[in-house]
Amino acid sequence: MTNSPETPILLWPLLVYAAIVLSLAGIILTISHFLGGRHNERATAEPYEGGIISTGTARLRFSSQFYLIAMLFVIFDVETIFIVSWAIAFQELGWYGYFGVLAFIVLLVVVLIYEWRNGALDFGPDGRKILQAYKKITLKEETRHEVVAE
């Protein structure tokens, strides 16, 4: 269907829709202005009006471990997307797709091993250091008990 001078473009539904949307937005704003609560208390200017006086600043320093975990999540989330996409198109891709995703997975495993060896996945305290400290404490207690017993 071509737009010739004889066939006018029907824009009136679009204009009616726009008029309805704008009038509803205006009505909602007007009603909220008149019905909205007005109070000016001491906590109104405080963030979140939680009733608790805020102390300190909201600018906290996060450990770099937090950002490392976030990056690992993004990396393995993207990996999941690629592998699921490959699985969907498995029959169309054939052996080339299989070897491509296999190389991708091998590369990701190598990166995971590298990060693991460098300590990127150590989320808590080192267990070996805790055991060494425990052994030192128990050794001191044993020697103290031996001295007291003599």
Side-chain angles (χ1 to χ4, degrees):
M1 180 178 234
T2 61
N3 287 334
S4 64
E6 294 86 28
T7 58
I9 299 173
L10 300 176
L11 289 178
W12 68 268
L14 182 63
L15 294 175
V16 169
Y17 179 73
I20 291 172
V21 167
L22 291 175
S23 62
L24 278 177
I27 290 170
I28 290 171
L29 288 173
T30 305
I31 290 174
S32 68
H33 174 73
F34 288 115
L35 297 179
R38 289 181 182 74
H39 59 89
N40 193 8
E41 297 166 2
R42 186 173 54 129
T44 303
E46 293 291 321
Y48 308 116
E49 282 191 59
I52 300 172
I53 298 173
S54 62
T55 58
T57 179
R59 307 290 185 249
L60 301 174
R61 295 186 106 167
F62 289 106
S63 169
S64 61
Q65 193 77 19
F66 171 79
Y67 297 106
L68 186 61
I69 292 168
M71 288 189 323
L72 287 173
F73 173 75
V74 169
I75 289 169
F76 287 105
D77 198 33
V78 170
E79 170 197 6
T80 304
I81 292 169
F82 283 139
I83 292 175
V84 168
S85 301
W86 166 77
I88 290 171
F90 175 72
Q91 295 207 345
E92 291 86 13
L93 294 175
W95 286 104
Y96 292 115
Y98 176 75
F99 288 123
V101 82
L102 188 66
F104 180 69
I105 291 172
V106 167
L107 182 64
L108 283 172
V109 168
V110 168
V111 169
L112 182 64
I113 292 170
Y114 172 77
E115 289 177 349
W116 177 43
R117 305 259 306 161
N118 283 335
L121 302 176
D122 295 335
F123 300 118
D126 189 10
R128 291 182 189 146
K129 291 181 182 177
I130 292 173
L131 286 175
Q132 288 174 354
Y134 178 73
K135 287 178 183 178
K136 285 181 184 178
I137 291 171
T138 55
L139 184 62
K140 285 181 184 177
E141 288 179 3
E142 288 175 2
T143 55
R144 189 175 342 147
H145 288 301
E146 291 174 2
V147 170
V148 172
E150 291 177 359

